[in-house]
Amino acid sequence: MTDPIISFAHVGKSFPARRGTPEVTALADVDLAVPEGAILGVIGRSGAGKSTLIRLVNGLERPTSGRITVDGTDITALSEAGLREARRSIGMIFQHFNLLARRTAFENVALPLEIAGVPRREIKARVEPLLDLVGLADKRDRYPAELSGGQKQRVGIARALATRPRVLLSDEATSALDPETTNQILALLRRVNAELNLTVLLITHEMAVIKAVADRVAVLDGGRIVEEGTTFELFARPRHPTTKSFISAVAGSALPPYIAARLKAEPTPGGQALVRIVFTGDHATDPVLSRISRLLGVDVNIIQAQVDDIAGQPFGVIVIGIPNDAVTVAAVVNAVEKLSLSAEVLGHV
């Protein structure tokens, strides 16, 4: 990893009790480093603390404890005037776009420059290339009501880039969009990240978004980061139950309902053991199942399988059924692990 451009050190955030409701701890002892030039995704369920975390980066919320630095500046120590200055290097895009209805696309992108007192000639020189970058040069004079959801988000991205930030924050920026438009916006974020060397911190509840765009991922659960690493690492070897549940939704590793309903912890006479094998690395394309069947003399029943690409590396998940006696199961798991692949016994049917 390169040096972090955003750093959380033992950060906590609590909201005080109000009108008889108890105090709410949104974040607890969060340590997180976002490498410069990376796209880091923070994923968690509703109420996990994602929105609070991202609002702490640009000072929209103040932490109860700990320290946050952005591009070498201690955000937690800044005055309101200092925060306003720091926010010029921190762009942000929102779930519901937050465009001004009475301003055109050009005027919405120009707004932060006008507030900063940038001369009109320079504003034009900055805004027009940004509209071209996001593919909206021909929509510069359109109002938000005349734009699609994806086009509105493109305006939001261009506006966030107007002050030439070092960091871009994305607050569920694709959750209001259809799948095709979501893919287009994520591709645009990738392009912006690559061409401008812009660090992106995005929060989402969708693992498909992480898979499509993030270099690294942090999993937030109950206000704490329970797992963090490269996207490929987490897909290949998730450890925390929350991570596993997110990944199962997009990696083809969730069992079909009719199988899951029959799954038991203990073997039954004449039944099968279900083993999940994750194919990664140099052996990802090896004929593992035929090799196991031939060497061990084991009948292998394919229950479910999917081959994918995670961060440019081959990644596959397959669930097989094999005779459920302990010796056979141990032999199959051992054979798989000798190939540097991972095998997990899910249960018995």
Side-chain angles (χ1 to χ4, degrees):
M1 293 200 313
T2 61
D3 291 337
I5 193 170
I6 303 173
S7 179
F8 287 72
H10 304 293
V11 172
K13 174 63 179 178
S14 298
F15 295 95
R18 291 182 181 178
R19 296 181 181 179
T21 60
E23 180 181 84
V24 175
T25 299
L27 295 172
D29 198 30
V30 170
D31 287 313
L32 181 64
V34 184
E36 183 174 3
I39 300 179
L40 187 144
V42 177
I43 189 166
R45 300 185 180 94
S46 296
K50 305 186 303 296
S51 293
T52 299
L53 183 145
I54 207 167
R55 288 168 64 86
L56 289 171
V57 177
N58 59 10
L60 293 177
E61 297 283 358
R62 297 276 194 168
T64 307
S65 59
R67 183 168 178 259
I68 302 165
T69 58
V70 179
D71 198 16
T73 299
D74 185 352
I75 295 294
T76 55
L78 294 178
S79 63
E80 285 301 319
L83 278 174
R84 286 194 293 272
E85 180 66 27
R87 287 179 186 135
R88 294 180 184 176
S89 65
I90 306 171
M92 188 162 183
I93 54 177
F94 303 89
Q95 178 180 1
H96 297 295
F97 322 127
N98 290 16
L99 303 181
L100 297 182
R102 297 189 177 183
R103 293 179 71 100
T104 65
F106 182 99
E107 291 166 342
N108 267 285
V109 177
L111 181 60
L113 300 176
E114 293 173 8
I115 293 172
V118 176
R120 181 168 298 183
R121 181 178 297 178
E122 186 177 342
I123 288 177
K124 182 180 179 181
R126 282 207 219 174
V127 172
E128 289 183 343
L130 287 173
L131 287 172
D132 186 55
L133 174 67
V134 300
L136 292 178
D138 60 335
K139 302 290 191 297
R140 55 164 289 159
D141 296 322
R142 299 290 181 88
Y143 290 89
E146 301 174 283
L147 301 175
S148 68
Q151 289 169 339
K152 291 176 186 177
Q153 194 57 282
R154 289 173 183 271
V155 174
I157 293 172
R159 180 183 58 189
L161 299 177
T163 57
R164 295 172 178 162
R166 298 285 312 284
V167 168
L168 180 63
L169 308 179
S170 172
D171 184 3
E172 297 276 13
T174 60
S175 61
L177 304 176
D178 62 77
E180 182 179 355
T181 306
T182 291
N183 290 336
Q184 293 170 357
I185 294 300
L186 294 177
L188 177 58
L189 288 179
R190 261 293 184 196
R191 181 183 172 194
V192 165
N193 164 257
E195 293 186 5
L196 304 181
N197 192 35
L198 190 67
T199 304
V200 181
L201 175 63
L202 64 89
I203 63 169
T204 182
H205 62 276
E206 300 173 283
M207 203 66 189
V209 171
I210 297 291
K211 173 177 171 288
V213 75
D215 305 307
R216 300 184 64 82
V217 55
V219 182
L220 198 61
D221 188 37
R224 296 179 181 273
I225 292 180
V226 295
E227 196 161 357
E228 195 262 337
T230 69
T231 303
F232 186 82
E233 287 170 350
L234 262 70
F235 267 83
R237 297 174 184 83
R239 299 184 303 275
H240 195 273
T242 299
T243 312
K244 292 179 179 180
S245 68
F246 276 122
I247 288 174
S248 67
V250 296
S253 56
L255 291 173
Y258 75 94
I259 295 289
R262 296 164 47 206
L263 195 66
K264 298 179 180 179
E266 298 298 326
T268 56
Q272 291 183 316
L274 298 191
V275 179
R276 177 188 291 141
I277 302 172
V278 178
F279 294 76
T280 60
D282 295 337
H283 296 286
T285 57
D286 285 356
V288 174
L289 298 188
S290 62
R291 188 176 297 172
I292 289 173
S293 181
R294 185 175 65 252
L295 293 178
L296 301 180
V298 174
D299 290 329
V300 176
N301 180 24
I302 297 177
I303 306 298
Q304 187 179 42
Q306 179 172 326
V307 178
D308 211 334
D309 178 286
I310 307 293
Q313 300 182 64
F315 176 87
V317 176
I318 188 166
V319 178
I320 61 173
I322 58 176
N324 63 11
D325 66 274
V327 174
T328 299
V329 172
V332 169
V333 169
N334 184 57
V336 170
E337 291 179 345
K338 280 185 176 180
L339 293 172
S340 300
L341 305 179
S342 66
E344 177 187 4
V345 179
L346 300 179
H348 303 266
V349 294

